[in-house]
Amino acid sequence: MNLEAVKAIYFSEMRRTRNTLLQSIASPVISTALYFVVFGSAIGSRIQSIDGVPYGLFIVPGLMMLSLLTQSISNASFGIFFPKFTGTIYEIMSAPISHFEIILGYVGAAATKSLIIGSIILITAAFFVELRIAHPFWMIAFFLLTCVTFSLFGFIIGLWADNFEKLQLIPLLVITPLVFLGGSFYSVSMLPEFWQKVSLMNPVLYLISGFRWSFFEVSDVSVTTSLSMIVMFLMVCLAIVWWMFKTGYKIKP
Amino acid sequence: MDNIANTIIEIKGLGKTYSGGQVALNDINLDIKEGEILALLGPNGAGKTTLISAICGLITPTSGSVMVAGFDIRKDYRRTRELIGLVPQELTLGAFELVVNTVKLSRGLFGKKPDEQYIDSILEKLTLSDKKNAMVQQLSGGMKRRVLIAKALAHQPRILFLDEPTAGVDVELRKDMWALVEELRRDGVTIILTTHYIEEAEEIADRVGVINNGQLLLLEDKHTLMQKMGNKQLLIELKDPINAIPETLAHYELELSADGTKLSYAYDIKSERTGITGLLGDLGKAGLSFKDLATSQSSLEDIFVELVGTQP
């Protein structure tokens, strides 16, 4: 195990984050505050409660998921895309590092950044609503798994993308709609039956549902289904990234 | 160069064909000795960079094998890669990084523990000390090249690849670079450089290899090559053909052409006595009269052009 290399990549990526500290911290704080003002106060005041949870509180897990997914994907994809774009990836590819160590460094750093952002959102939320977390262990488990899985997914996008447009394509066209339609701001049970069934095809629904359960013990689908879904998605991402490195796909001619 | 020096890189039957069918390397066989400076000469697109990339692990060869210090570059990539430093041809550097951080990153990537002192000494050797905390993007092209060299040396490699190190480099950096190469050679570092400047190969290399169309056309000790270059040929056209070279001229080691009309004499222009006066006198004494005289000399460039020119 080339631990020095993992550390080198990890800290170099974290340094990149530190250089954009204001943007990294200020933007999630501002957007969370905006969501609370718009959905929590303006709209939320007209919605009494969902499954016994006040609306302002109900949207906290969904808000966190929204940021975690988009941030994990954008950080991890940019982290590996940029060296490919500038050509500095030659150094990574010629260094005595295994594929696993490369992933550990890049995905680890992206996931860490997401964890920090998620925590900031949670703290910001505490200023607007009275937070309660029913199952802290499971909450942290979902939190961690989501950060790691979607950082890995972002890493795959970064490897796959060969221009800036492709880099933005999946986060904008796929992830954002899936998060919004995955019950970030509502319970799926509020939808007509047909759309409830459609929603079940959305993998993000399972994430949000499980995460919300760890907070309030209310969920759209069972917790075990949620957990299996995220673990399955993690496995799929691992398999894809393994295949990419194995075949040198878009990395090594 | 010590002839019994160990082979540090052993390349056997190395080939690379891209998915489009383009053959970039074709059956390369090459032994690189520990501590030597090998210059790979060849026109653009000859396959020099591909060869280096294959050894460093940047591309996957389609056939053949490469052993570095006795280890296979694919099976034992950790052991082979930690020995190698690579200075790429392109100025590839992250834009928003400090010089010192990018050099430290390189050291870490190659599995070495941080060593501030060593990093400082490398930066100093490359006259980068005052740019230590500068952003990479603010540096000039020459300075960026220095940073790339510092990065390649950050993990104290035993083998250094310099891909077109002097392309677009000013005189000062070129001088600094050759001084550094000299110092690395003294420390026993094996250096492989690619270039299309023949003078460069002549100046610093121990051996010269010529690559074209993905094939290694020639690999020779520089001194042998220099000798070929230093040697001149005197061609004597005789009035009447002869069957054999007279005994009295035996010590000149002349060569007689098949039709018996031409004698050729090889001499070293650098030696004090070329022997031409004596030869011409002795030819007269032997009763041979000549029609014409001509001299010719082959330079490394001639050899190069000839080799590359005969390629399909």
Side-chain angles (χ1 to χ4, degrees):
Chain A
M1 179 93 174
N2 186 349
L3 207 63
E4 289 299 329
V6 177
K7 270 165 38 187
I9 295 174
Y10 182 87
F11 288 115
S12 166
E13 282 299 292
M14 291 310 283
R15 215 168 21 237
R16 196 166 60 80
T17 304
R18 262 208 307 280
N19 292 342
T20 53
L21 202 62
L22 189 71
Q23 176 192 336
S24 308
I25 293 176
S27 84
V29 171
I30 291 172
S31 62
T32 309
L34 286 174
Y35 277 116
F36 274 115
V37 170
V38 175
F39 287 102
S41 308
I43 297 173
S45 59
R46 288 161 197 271
I47 303 169
Q48 289 306 304
S49 66
I50 299 172
D51 299 330
V53 181
Y55 186 69
L57 191 57
F58 181 84
I59 62 168
V60 173
L63 263 182
M64 274 179 79
M65 276 292 167
L66 177 67
S67 289
L68 290 186
L69 263 55
T70 47
Q71 288 290 331
S72 297
I73 291 172
S74 77
N75 283 323
S77 62
F78 192 76
I80 190 70
F81 175 79
F82 199 59
K84 263 181 35 177
F85 179 72
T86 56
T88 51
I89 194 151
Y90 85 87
E91 202 174 23
I92 308 273
M93 300 313 288
S94 65
I97 326 174
S98 68
H99 303 152
F100 176 69
E101 287 154 5
I102 298 176
I103 296 170
L104 211 58
Y106 279 106
V107 174
T112 307
K113 193 179 171 187
S114 297
L115 277 173
I116 296 170
I117 292 169
S119 308
I120 293 173
I121 293 175
L122 199 61
I123 294 165
T124 312
F127 286 102
F128 291 89
V129 290
E130 206 171 308
L131 269 183
R132 61 167 199 261
I133 299 167
H135 302 282
F137 172 80
W138 289 111
M139 179 262 171
I140 291 168
F142 272 110
F143 192 9
L144 278 174
L145 270 171
T146 306
C147 291
V148 172
T149 305
F150 281 84
S151 294
L152 195 59
F153 185 59
F155 186 78
I156 292 170
I157 294 175
L159 282 180
W160 163 78
D162 30 34
N163 55 45
F164 278 98
E165 205 182 10
K166 275 188 176 177
L167 197 64
Q168 298 292 337
L169 198 72
I170 292 186
L172 275 177
L173 288 183
V174 183
I175 300 301
T176 312
L178 286 185
V179 177
F180 272 92
L181 300 174
S184 307
F185 302 112
Y186 58 89
S187 166
V188 179
S189 59
M190 292 157 77
L191 294 173
E193 204 174 326
F194 173 75
W195 291 107
Q196 284 190 30
K197 291 214 171 89
V198 173
S199 292
L200 288 178
M201 315 245 283
N202 180 358
V204 179
L205 169 92
Y206 298 89
L207 285 181
I208 295 174
S209 169
F211 198 43
R212 188 171 287 142
W213 171 85
S214 69
F215 279 80
F216 318 124
E217 289 182 303
V218 294
S219 63
D220 292 319
V221 291
S222 86
V223 186
T224 11
T225 318
S226 290
L227 206 59
S228 343
M229 281 299 282
I230 186 162
V231 171
M232 200 176 80
F233 194 58
L234 178 65
M235 293 301 159
V236 170
C237 288
L238 280 173
I240 294 173
V241 86
W242 177 83
W243 172 82
M244 279 176 139
F245 274 118
K246 183 87 181 164
T247 56
Y249 177 81
K250 292 204 181 178
I251 323 167
K252 197 167 159 181
Chain B
M1 263 285 311
D2 190 353
N3 282 331
I4 53 161
N6 295 325
T7 297
I8 193 148
I9 300 178
E10 193 183 354
I11 303 167
K12 273 192 188 148
L14 192 70
K16 173 68 186 176
T17 307
Y18 286 104
S19 50
Q22 183 209 346
V23 180
L25 291 177
N26 187 2
D27 192 27
I28 302 268
N29 291 288
L30 170 64
D31 280 356
I32 300 169
K33 294 170 197 155
E34 185 162 13
E36 78 169 325
I37 298 182
L38 174 70
L40 293 171
L41 274 172
N44 288 327
K48 296 169 299 201
T49 302
T50 312
L51 177 59
I52 290 182
S53 301
I55 302 170
C56 294
L58 296 175
I59 60 160
T60 317
T62 21
S63 60
S65 69
V66 181
M67 306 285 278
V68 176
F71 298 107
D72 185 275
I73 55 159
R74 272 180 276 188
K75 267 187 252 150
D76 292 308
Y77 68 94
R78 285 189 198 266
R79 311 193 77 149
T80 62
R81 290 184 192 174
E82 66 185 15
L83 297 172
I84 297 174
L86 166 65
V87 182
Q89 191 175 337
E90 306 290 333
L91 293 175
T92 41
L93 280 167
F96 314 109
E97 253 178 324
L98 299 185
V99 169
V100 64
N101 286 343
T102 186
V103 177
K104 280 183 185 169
L105 169 69
S106 302
R107 187 176 169 86
L109 285 178
F110 283 78
K112 287 272 167 78
K113 287 210 173 338
D115 185 342
E116 296 268 348
Q117 246 181 335
Y118 178 74
I119 300 286
D120 282 346
S121 75
I122 286 286
L123 292 177
E124 199 185 321
K125 268 181 206 159
L126 288 155
T127 50
L128 282 168
S129 293
D130 56 334
K131 300 275 184 236
K132 191 176 163 180
N133 292 310
M135 283 277 218
V136 170
Q137 61 177 358
Q138 292 165 342
L139 300 181
S140 65
M143 281 294 170
K144 281 183 182 156
R145 177 79 59 191
R146 286 173 199 258
V147 175
L148 284 173
I149 300 172
K151 279 168 78 71
L153 294 175
H155 65 285
Q156 292 148 293
R158 301 302 303 152
I159 303 163
L160 182 67
F161 286 95
L162 296 161
D163 197 0
E164 300 280 354
T166 49
V169 150
D170 61 20
V171 183
E172 200 180 336
L173 176 52
R174 193 182 290 215
K175 255 180 14 199
D176 281 2
M177 189 142 55
W178 293 156
L180 186 71
V181 163
E182 203 47 57
E183 197 185 317
L184 290 168
R185 183 227 287 270
R186 274 199 298 276
D187 293 341
V189 176
T190 309
I191 295 159
I192 297 102
L193 64 103
T194 71
T195 178
H196 44 241
Y197 300 118
I198 287 158
E199 315 80 63
E200 214 164 87
E202 277 180 32
E203 207 179 307
I204 58 158
D206 296 312
R207 285 201 301 165
V208 177
V210 177
I211 295 186
N212 195 34
N213 287 341
Q215 283 176 300
L216 185 64
L217 303 177
L218 167 121
L219 179 69
E220 205 143 18
D221 205 278
K222 189 183 65 180
H223 294 296
T224 317
L225 272 177
M226 292 299 277
Q227 249 165 18
K228 279 189 186 164
M229 287 164 48
N231 279 359
K232 275 189 104 167
Q233 302 268 325
L234 173 64
L235 200 70
I236 304 152
E237 207 175 322
L238 300 171
K239 231 173 194 166
D240 306 302
I242 54 169
N243 295 325
I245 297 163
E247 271 300 301
T248 49
L249 303 174
H251 63 284
Y252 289 108
E253 293 176 351
L254 301 171
E255 272 178 45
L256 183 64
S257 64
D259 62 358
T261 60
K262 285 179 199 112
L263 285 168
S264 71
Y265 170 61
Y267 63 95
D268 188 352
I269 47 168
K270 286 174 195 145
S271 67
E272 233 166 86
R273 289 158 187 261
T274 58
I276 295 174
T277 323
L279 172 67
L280 295 182
D282 287 346
L283 278 172
K285 277 182 202 158
L288 303 175
S289 47
F290 39 86
K291 245 182 4 194
D292 198 9
L293 290 175
T295 62
S296 66
Q297 178 181 30
S298 58
S299 66
L300 183 49
E301 189 155 358
D302 288 334
I303 297 169
F304 181 72
V305 168
E306 195 182 311
L307 279 166
V308 170
T310 55
Q311 284 273 297

mmCIF file with all atom_site columns, all heavy atoms in Angstrom, chain A residues 51-63:
data_model
loop_
_atom_site.group_PDB
_atom_site.id
_atom_site.type_symbol
_atom_site.label_atom_id
_atom_site.label_alt_id
_atom_site.label_comp_id
_atom_site.label_asym_id
_atom_site.label_entity_id
_atom_site.label_seq_id
_atom_site.pdbx_PDB_ins_code
_atom_site.Cartn_x
_atom_site.Cartn_y
_atom_site.Cartn_z
_atom_site.occupancy
_atom_site.B_iso_or_equiv
_atom_site.pdbx_formal_charge
_atom_site.auth_seq_id
_atom_site.auth_comp_id
_atom_site.auth_asym_id
_atom_site.auth_atom_id
_atom_site.pdbx_PDB_model_num
ATOM 1  N N   . ASP A 1 51 ? -46.858 13.505 7.830  1.00 0.00 ? 51 ASP A N   1
ATOM 2  C CA  . ASP A 1 51 ? -46.669 12.347 8.716  1.00 0.00 ? 51 ASP A CA  1
ATOM 3  C C   . ASP A 1 51 ? -46.304 12.787 10.138 1.00 0.00 ? 51 ASP A C   1
ATOM 4  O O   . ASP A 1 51 ? -45.431 12.191 10.784 1.00 0.00 ? 51 ASP A O   1
ATOM 5  C CB  . ASP A 1 51 ? -45.581 11.408 8.180  1.00 0.00 ? 51 ASP A CB  1
ATOM 6  C CG  . ASP A 1 51 ? -45.939 10.842 6.818  1.00 0.00 ? 51 ASP A CG  1
ATOM 7  O OD1 . ASP A 1 51 ? -47.161 10.686 6.553  1.00 0.00 ? 51 ASP A OD1 1
ATOM 8  O OD2 . ASP A 1 51 ? -45.014 10.579 6.029  1.00 0.00 ? 51 ASP A OD2 1
ATOM 9  N N   . GLY A 1 52 ? -46.884 13.869 10.569 1.00 0.00 ? 52 GLY A N   1
ATOM 10 C CA  . GLY A 1 52 ? -46.663 14.338 11.931 1.00 0.00 ? 52 GLY A CA  1
ATOM 11 C C   . GLY A 1 52 ? -45.387 15.143 12.120 1.00 0.00 ? 52 GLY A C   1
ATOM 12 O O   . GLY A 1 52 ? -45.062 15.533 13.242 1.00 0.00 ? 52 GLY A O   1
ATOM 13 N N   . VAL A 1 53 ? -44.667 15.383 11.008 1.00 0.00 ? 53 VAL A N   1
ATOM 14 C CA  . VAL A 1 53 ? -43.423 16.166 11.119 1.00 0.00 ? 53 VAL A CA  1
ATOM 15 C C   . VAL A 1 53 ? -43.682 17.553 10.533 1.00 0.00 ? 53 VAL A C   1
ATOM 16 O O   . VAL A 1 53 ? -44.163 17.661 9.403  1.00 0.00 ? 53 VAL A O   1
ATOM 17 C CB  . VAL A 1 53 ? -42.266 15.485 10.348 1.00 0.00 ? 53 VAL A CB  1
ATOM 18 C CG1 . VAL A 1 53 ? -40.981 16.284 10.492 1.00 0.00 ? 53 VAL A CG1 1
ATOM 19 C CG2 . VAL A 1 53 ? -42.080 14.056 10.824 1.00 0.00 ? 53 VAL A CG2 1
ATOM 20 N N   . PRO A 1 54 ? -43.393 18.635 11.276 1.00 0.00 ? 54 PRO A N   1
ATOM 21 C CA  . PRO A 1 54 ? -43.588 19.979 10.722 1.00 0.00 ? 54 PRO A CA  1
ATOM 22 C C   . PRO A 1 54 ? -42.820 20.113 9.403  1.00 0.00 ? 54 PRO A C   1
ATOM 23 O O   . PRO A 1 54 ? -41.716 19.574 9.277  1.00 0.00 ? 54 PRO A O   1
ATOM 24 C CB  . PRO A 1 54 ? -42.990 20.901 11.793 1.00 0.00 ? 54 PRO A CB  1
ATOM 25 C CG  . PRO A 1 54 ? -42.907 20.092 13.021 1.00 0.00 ? 54 PRO A CG  1
ATOM 26 C CD  . PRO A 1 54 ? -42.825 18.665 12.627 1.00 0.00 ? 54 PRO A CD  1
ATOM 27 N N   . TYR A 1 55 ? -43.411 20.825 8.437  1.00 0.00 ? 55 TYR A N   1
ATOM 28 C CA  . TYR A 1 55 ? -42.832 20.865 7.087  1.00 0.00 ? 55 TYR A CA  1
ATOM 29 C C   . TYR A 1 55 ? -41.388 21.374 7.068  1.00 0.00 ? 55 TYR A C   1
ATOM 30 O O   . TYR A 1 55 ? -40.527 20.813 6.377  1.00 0.00 ? 55 TYR A O   1
ATOM 31 C CB  . TYR A 1 55 ? -43.704 21.699 6.148  1.00 0.00 ? 55 TYR A CB  1
ATOM 32 C CG  . TYR A 1 55 ? -43.211 21.629 4.729  1.00 0.00 ? 55 TYR A CG  1
ATOM 33 C CD1 . TYR A 1 55 ? -43.327 20.433 4.011  1.00 0.00 ? 55 TYR A CD1 1
ATOM 34 C CD2 . TYR A 1 55 ? -42.607 22.711 4.114  1.00 0.00 ? 55 TYR A CD2 1
ATOM 35 C CE1 . TYR A 1 55 ? -42.850 20.332 2.713  1.00 0.00 ? 55 TYR A CE1 1
ATOM 36 C CE2 . TYR A 1 55 ? -42.130 22.614 2.811  1.00 0.00 ? 55 TYR A CE2 1
ATOM 37 C CZ  . TYR A 1 55 ? -42.256 21.421 2.123  1.00 0.00 ? 55 TYR A CZ  1
ATOM 38 O OH  . TYR A 1 55 ? -41.779 21.323 0.842  1.00 0.00 ? 55 TYR A OH  1
ATOM 39 N N   . GLY A 1 56 ? -41.106 22.419 7.821  1.00 0.00 ? 56 GLY A N   1
ATOM 40 C CA  . GLY A 1 56 ? -39.751 22.982 7.864  1.00 0.00 ? 56 GLY A CA  1
ATOM 41 C C   . GLY A 1 56 ? -38.726 21.937 8.278  1.00 0.00 ? 56 GLY A C   1
ATOM 42 O O   . GLY A 1 56 ? -37.619 21.856 7.713  1.00 0.00 ? 56 GLY A O   1
ATOM 43 N N   . LEU A 1 57 ? -39.108 21.118 9.201  1.00 0.00 ? 57 LEU A N   1
ATOM 44 C CA  . LEU A 1 57 ? -38.213 20.066 9.689  1.00 0.00 ? 57 LEU A CA  1
ATOM 45 C C   . LEU A 1 57 ? -38.141 18.931 8.679  1.00 0.00 ? 57 LEU A C   1
ATOM 46 O O   . LEU A 1 57 ? -37.070 18.344 8.444  1.00 0.00 ? 57 LEU A O   1
ATOM 47 C CB  . LEU A 1 57 ? -38.749 19.559 11.032 1.00 0.00 ? 57 LEU A CB  1
ATOM 48 C CG  . LEU A 1 57 ? -37.867 18.642 11.877 1.00 0.00 ? 57 LEU A CG  1
ATOM 49 C CD1 . LEU A 1 57 ? -36.537 19.298 12.174 1.00 0.00 ? 57 LEU A CD1 1
ATOM 50 C CD2 . LEU A 1 57 ? -38.574 18.296 13.181 1.00 0.00 ? 57 LEU A CD2 1
ATOM 51 N N   . PHE A 1 58 ? -39.302 18.662 8.066  1.00 0.00 ? 58 PHE A N   1
ATOM 52 C CA  . PHE A 1 58 ? -39.424 17.548 7.121  1.00 0.00 ? 58 PHE A CA  1
ATOM 53 C C   . PHE A 1 58 ? -38.426 17.681 5.964  1.00 0.00 ? 58 PHE A C   1
ATOM 54 O O   . PHE A 1 58 ? -37.877 16.687 5.478  1.00 0.00 ? 58 PHE A O   1
ATOM 55 C CB  . PHE A 1 58 ? -40.857 17.511 6.579  1.00 0.00 ? 58 PHE A CB  1
ATOM 56 C CG  . PHE A 1 58 ? -41.113 16.384 5.621  1.00 0.00 ? 58 PHE A CG  1
ATOM 57 C CD1 . PHE A 1 58 ? -41.445 15.114 6.094  1.00 0.00 ? 58 PHE A CD1 1
ATOM 58 C CD2 . PHE A 1 58 ? -41.016 16.585 4.245  1.00 0.00 ? 58 PHE A CD2 1
ATOM 59 C CE1 . PHE A 1 58 ? -41.676 14.074 5.208  1.00 0.00 ? 58 PHE A CE1 1
ATOM 60 C CE2 . PHE A 1 58 ? -41.242 15.541 3.361  1.00 0.00 ? 58 PHE A CE2 1
ATOM 61 C CZ  . PHE A 1 58 ? -41.576 14.287 3.835  1.00 0.00 ? 58 PHE A CZ  1
ATOM 62 N N   . ILE A 1 59 ? -38.176 18.912 5.519  1.00 0.00 ? 59 ILE A N   1
ATOM 63 C CA  . ILE A 1 59 ? -37.321 19.092 4.326  1.00 0.00 ? 59 ILE A CA  1
ATOM 64 C C   . ILE A 1 59 ? -35.815 19.040 4.639  1.00 0.00 ? 59 ILE A C   1
ATOM 65 O O   . ILE A 1 59 ? -35.003 18.992 3.715  1.00 0.00 ? 59 ILE A O   1
ATOM 66 C CB  . ILE A 1 59 ? -37.638 20.404 3.559  1.00 0.00 ? 59 ILE A CB  1
ATOM 67 C CG1 . ILE A 1 59 ? -37.370 21.628 4.433  1.00 0.00 ? 59 ILE A CG1 1
ATOM 68 C CG2 . ILE A 1 59 ? -39.068 20.394 3.035  1.00 0.00 ? 59 ILE A CG2 1
ATOM 69 C CD1 . ILE A 1 59 ? -37.395 22.936 3.648  1.00 0.00 ? 59 ILE A CD1 1
ATOM 70 N N   . VAL A 1 60 ? -35.448 19.008 5.938  1.00 0.00 ? 60 VAL A N   1
ATOM 71 C CA  . VAL A 1 60 ? -34.011 19.027 6.271  1.00 0.00 ? 60 VAL A CA  1
ATOM 72 C C   . VAL A 1 60 ? -33.239 17.859 5.629  1.00 0.00 ? 60 VAL A C   1
ATOM 73 O O   . VAL A 1 60 ? -32.227 18.096 4.948  1.00 0.00 ? 60 VAL A O   1
ATOM 74 C CB  . VAL A 1 60 ? -33.784 19.072 7.803  1.00 0.00 ? 60 VAL A CB  1
ATOM 75 C CG1 . VAL A 1 60 ? -32.310 18.909 8.143  1.00 0.00 ? 60 VAL A CG1 1
ATOM 76 C CG2 . VAL A 1 60 ? -34.312 20.378 8.376  1.00 0.00 ? 60 VAL A CG2 1
ATOM 77 N N   . PRO A 1 61 ? -33.682 16.603 5.792  1.00 0.00 ? 61 PRO A N   1
ATOM 78 C CA  . PRO A 1 61 ? -32.920 15.509 5.177  1.00 0.00 ? 61 PRO A CA  1
ATOM 79 C C   . PRO A 1 61 ? -32.856 15.638 3.651  1.00 0.00 ? 61 PRO A C   1
ATOM 80 O O   . PRO A 1 61 ? -31.798 15.377 3.057  1.00 0.00 ? 61 PRO A O   1
ATOM 81 C CB  . PRO A 1 61 ? -33.706 14.257 5.569  1.00 0.00 ? 61 PRO A CB  1
ATOM 82 C CG  . PRO A 1 61 ? -34.507 14.652 6.760  1.00 0.00 ? 61 PRO A CG  1
ATOM 83 C CD  . PRO A 1 61 ? -34.841 16.098 6.568  1.00 0.00 ? 61 PRO A CD  1
ATOM 84 N N   . GLY A 1 62 ? -33.964 16.053 3.034  1.00 0.00 ? 62 GLY A N   1
ATOM 85 C CA  . GLY A 1 62 ? -33.990 16.216 1.581  1.00 0.00 ? 62 GLY A CA  1
ATOM 86 C C   . GLY A 1 62 ? -33.028 17.291 1.114  1.00 0.00 ? 62 GLY A C   1
ATOM 87 O O   . GLY A 1 62 ? -32.306 17.114 0.125  1.00 0.00 ? 62 GLY A O   1
ATOM 88 N N   . LEU A 1 63 ? -32.997 18.394 1.863  1.00 0.00 ? 63 LEU A N   1
ATOM 89 C CA  . LEU A 1 63 ? -32.072 19.485 1.543  1.00 0.00 ? 63 LEU A CA  1
ATOM 90 C C   . LEU A 1 63 ? -30.624 19.014 1.623  1.00 0.00 ? 63 LEU A C   1
ATOM 91 O O   . LEU A 1 63 ? -29.793 19.350 0.783  1.00 0.00 ? 63 LEU A O   1
ATOM 92 C CB  . LEU A 1 63 ? -32.255 20.621 2.547  1.00 0.00 ? 63 LEU A CB  1
ATOM 93 C CG  . LEU A 1 63 ? -33.129 21.775 2.145  1.00 0.00 ? 63 LEU A CG  1
ATOM 94 C CD1 . LEU A 1 63 ? -33.142 22.812 3.256  1.00 0.00 ? 63 LEU A CD1 1
ATOM 95 C CD2 . LEU A 1 63 ? -32.593 22.394 0.864  1.00 0.00 ? 63 LEU A CD2 1
#
